[in-house]
Amino acid sequence: MKYTSIIIPFVGGLGMFIYGMQIMAQGLENAAGNRMKSLLEALTKNKFFGVLLGAFITAVIQSSSATTVMVVGFVNAGIMNLQQAMGVIMGANIGTTVTGWLVSSVEWAKFLSPSNLAPVAIMIGVIIMLTGKRRSTKDIASIVVGFGLLFVGISSMSSAVEPLKDNAAFCNIFVSLGHNPLLGIVAGAAVTAIIQSSSASVGILQSLAAAGLVPFGAAIYIIMGQNIGTCVTAILSSVGAKKNAKTAALMHLIFNIIGTIIFSIIAIAYLSIVNPAWAHGNITQTQISMVHTVFNIVTTVLLFPVSDWIIKLAKKIGHVEEEVQDESVVLLDDRMLETPGIAIQSTVSELVRMGHVVADSLEVARKVMFERKEEQIAFLKEEESKVDRLSAGITSYAIKLSTLQINEREHEEVAHMLQIVSDMERISDYCENISEFAESLLEKQVDFSEVGVEHLNKMLDVCIASYLYALEAFESNDRESALKTIEKETEADGLEISLRAKHIKRLTNQQCNTEAGVVFLDSLVCLERISDHARNIAEEVLAE
């Protein structure tokens, strides 16, 4: 037997299968973009919701490894705690079974036969891709083409290994794996760890099953091993991460090992005592999907009530203690770039967080202008430094996002964020300028006149309102708030001209202190420019 005639078509089919899976996943991710982005905002401490979230994301991106790597990134960035991560990890195991059901559909839905459907699907997808102009149309084309390539790949693998069913030595390997559970688990884990995809690993097993090569007993242990092997990607990803992030990867491994132990005991008892004959019968692709799904769902149901113990065990093994989060650290991680849609939403969330820091600074700036307490001045300087660090981190991450293969709308969204982060940072700078003006008045022991205080308060009201409307417009994508921002900015422009003229008249009539008068004028300029930057933010929202 010429093994090259088997290996080359098999490897080529595997490559086509993985490529088709990636194309389909990218199309699904783009098509589900808005839902994917809203998921991050909806995250709560409810682990049950986390399970649903993990299952959905994994079903869309077709990789539990990618989902877990993303979770490691969230935990490392401080966006997600370990309780939330546990739920998503459990759900990821369930979501990864979708690919297996797609592959096995050739058995329970005959019209999906690769020989009939795959070439047609690829042709239709290519025509849509070449003729379609809308982004949503191209996303659908990617899903259809990926779907077709996935089936062509699995068909190529099945055809390539079919001659092996007459090879006694090869068949004996699977018989041995069925007789030795540990060997079967190790084999499944090793293959999955090497190709770093449990979906692809299950696909390989299904292609072998389609050729009638895999006994039921061997398949069960290989499938359980595949669930352990898929943890390798996340563990490698956690190298160099914080202890909490390493704990998240460790939780995934512990969860799958416990599930494997439970099911191995059940499988050994059933196949050795209750129904030994079943172990020797060949498994079908659909049965592989069923075993894979039952294993992951039942493991989740059994371990969900004790998931907190798994977290404690992982923390104990990883020597993890609760960390105090530094608010000036950007809660973004490069691992999240694996799923650009969610990475973009994470960046939006960080920009909103930075926006609220700036809003707090504005409120303190109002107090500083009139009260001039040293602790308030120190607070504003500290907040400005925090905003600078957040601005630098968000900008750097947004630039990384812009280099990814994202669609045109997402590129525009990143460009809007880069402009908004700059405007927010400038507003923070003006708050610091106000604190410096307050220091100057404090040193010189001078104060504004009663009229000056009244006029500055009026200007502060309008300018702070313009920024708060702008922040609300960005946070909620609210066009009405954006339009209110522009109204307030226009009002601030007129008010600045009016108050400047009145103040110069008071200076001419010597109705106020000259040194305080200079600070008054400088303050008007700062506040008017704050409203200008608020308008810039609103216009970016309206441009989306």
Side-chain angles (χ1 to χ4, degrees):
M1 183 179 291
K2 292 183 178 179
Y3 287 102
T4 53
S5 63
I6 295 173
I7 294 171
I8 292 174
F10 182 83
V11 171
L14 176 61
M16 200 174 297
F17 176 85
I18 294 173
Y19 182 58
M21 193 167 60
Q22 287 183 339
I23 291 176
M24 185 170 66
Q26 187 61 55
L28 283 166
E29 185 180 340
N30 290 340
N34 291 333
R35 290 189 186 92
M36 295 277 283
K37 291 174 186 179
S38 65
L39 288 174
L40 181 64
E41 292 180 336
L43 265 178
T44 65
K45 293 182 179 180
N46 187 319
K47 285 199 291 289
F48 178 72
F49 180 83
V51 172
L52 299 179
L53 173 69
F56 175 77
I57 292 175
T58 306
V60 170
I61 64 178
Q62 297 280 296
S63 173
S64 61
S65 297
T67 301
T68 311
V69 166
M70 184 177 65
V71 167
V72 170
F74 282 146
V75 174
N76 193 52
I79 295 175
M80 187 183 285
N81 60 38
L82 292 175
Q83 281 72 26
Q84 291 169 324
M86 188 74 240
V88 177
I89 286 168
M90 289 188 287
N93 278 14
I94 296 171
T96 196
T97 63
V98 170
T99 309
W101 282 109
L102 284 175
V103 172
S104 66
S105 63
V106 298
E107 291 181 345
W108 48 267
K110 297 295 183 182
F111 66 91
L112 292 176
S113 171
S115 58
N116 298 328
L117 186 67
V120 177
I122 293 171
M123 194 63 230
I124 292 172
V126 169
I127 291 171
I128 295 172
M129 196 174 288
L130 293 175
T131 58
K133 293 182 179 179
R134 295 176 61 185
R135 181 176 67 88
S136 58
T137 305
K138 291 186 179 292
D139 290 337
I140 292 170
S142 295
I143 296 168
V144 175
V145 170
F147 187 73
L149 288 175
L150 184 147
F151 277 113
V152 170
I154 201 76
S155 181
S156 297
M157 286 192 288
S158 299
S159 300
V161 299
E162 194 165 350
L164 291 174
K165 66 183 179 182
D166 298 322
N167 187 307
F170 190 83
C171 291
N172 286 335
I173 291 174
F174 281 100
V175 172
S176 300
L177 294 177
H179 284 253
N180 190 328
L182 182 60
L183 198 59
I185 292 168
V186 170
V191 172
T192 307
I194 290 168
I195 62 177
Q196 300 215 354
S197 171
S198 62
S199 296
S201 180
V202 170
I204 292 172
L205 187 64
Q206 287 177 308
S207 69
L208 294 169
L213 290 166
V214 187
F216 205 98
I220 288 178
Y221 302 122
I222 291 171
I223 289 167
M224 289 189 283
Q226 287 167 339
N227 277 267
I228 294 175
T230 196
C231 302
V232 169
T233 309
I235 290 171
L236 290 174
S237 171
S238 70
V239 174
K242 296 175 184 175
K243 284 186 176 181
N244 260 358
K246 291 178 180 175
T247 303
L250 197 56
M251 281 166 11
H252 189 205
L253 180 61
I254 292 170
F255 176 78
N256 283 339
I257 287 175
I258 293 173
T260 297
I261 292 171
I262 293 170
F263 267 80
S264 293
I265 293 170
I266 294 171
I268 291 169
Y270 184 82
L271 297 177
S272 300
I273 302 168
V274 180
N275 195 351
W278 202 19
H280 304 295
N282 286 342
I283 196 169
T284 65
Q285 291 179 321
T286 303
Q287 287 171 330
I288 287 174
S289 299
M290 290 176 66
V291 170
H292 192 207
T293 303
V294 169
F295 170 73
N296 285 306
I297 290 177
V298 174
T299 299
T300 299
V301 171
L302 289 175
L303 298 184
F304 186 87
V306 296
S307 57
D308 286 341
W309 293 355
I310 295 174
I311 295 170
K312 288 178 183 178
L313 178 60
K315 289 171 75 170
K316 191 170 184 178
I317 293 171
H319 305 290
V320 174
E321 296 177 3
E322 293 299 324
E323 298 176 5
V324 178
Q325 184 67 50
D326 183 351
E327 289 185 357
S328 67
V329 174
V330 176
L331 305 182
L332 297 167
D333 191 281
D334 287 351
R335 296 166 185 82
M336 290 186 286
L337 297 173
E338 293 284 334
T339 48
I342 291 182
I344 288 172
Q345 183 56 42
S346 301
T347 310
V348 170
S349 299
E350 277 303 274
L351 192 46
V352 168
R353 185 167 73 91
M354 173 179 159
H356 282 289
V357 173
V358 174
D360 292 341
S361 294
L362 273 171
E363 292 297 339
V364 175
R366 178 201 292 273
K367 295 177 182 178
V368 162
M369 192 169 281
F370 305 117
E371 297 176 9
R372 294 187 281 281
K373 293 180 180 178
E374 290 185 3
E375 59 269 25
Q376 292 171 343
I377 294 169
F379 175 82
L380 274 183
K381 289 183 177 179
E382 187 180 318
E383 290 297 277
E384 204 284 323
S385 178
K386 182 192 294 183
V387 169
D388 280 348
R389 291 194 293 275
L390 289 171
S391 172
I394 293 170
T395 300
S396 175
Y397 198 78
I399 290 170
K400 288 179 184 176
L401 270 171
S402 67
T403 64
L404 299 178
Q405 290 184 338
I406 54 179
N407 59 51
E408 187 177 340
R409 179 169 178 76
E410 287 172 330
H411 270 296
E412 289 175 0
E413 194 170 350
V414 172
H416 289 314
M417 285 193 288
L418 284 168
Q419 181 58 53
I420 289 170
V421 74
S422 173
D423 285 311
M424 286 182 176
E425 195 275 331
R426 291 297 297 136
I427 291 172
S428 176
D429 286 342
Y430 288 124
C431 289
E432 185 182 33
N433 289 346
I434 289 171
S435 73
E436 290 169 354
F437 299 155
E439 274 188 305
S440 173
L441 292 175
L442 190 62
E443 287 173 6
K444 294 172 182 176
Q445 294 295 306
V446 293
D447 208 342
F448 299 122
S449 65
E450 287 186 14
V451 175
V453 170
E454 181 186 340
H455 286 177
L456 276 177
N457 262 320
K458 192 178 293 185
M459 188 69 174
L460 277 161
D461 286 341
V462 173
C463 294
I464 291 176
S466 71
Y467 175 73
L468 293 178
Y469 277 131
L471 181 58
E472 183 181 342
F474 174 64
E475 186 172 2
S476 305
N477 196 26
D478 183 356
R479 295 179 68 84
E480 188 176 335
S481 294
L483 293 173
K484 287 180 180 177
T485 303
I486 293 172
E487 286 178 15
K488 286 293 180 182
E489 191 275 333
T490 304
E491 185 182 343
D493 285 347
L495 195 58
E496 192 265 345
I497 293 169
S498 169
L499 295 181
R500 177 181 292 276
K502 290 177 181 178
H503 181 68
I504 290 172
K505 189 175 180 180
R506 288 200 305 277
L507 281 173
T508 303
N509 296 331
Q510 296 183 339
Q511 292 175 328
C512 60
N513 181 280
T514 304
E515 290 178 328
V518 172
V519 172
F520 180 94
L521 291 174
D522 287 341
S523 298
L524 281 183
V525 171
C526 275
L527 292 172
E528 192 276 331
R529 287 179 181 169
I530 284 171
S531 71
D532 285 343
H533 286 289
R535 179 176 183 139
N536 290 346
I537 294 169
E539 287 176 344
E540 292 295 329
V541 173
L542 292 172
E544 289 184 5

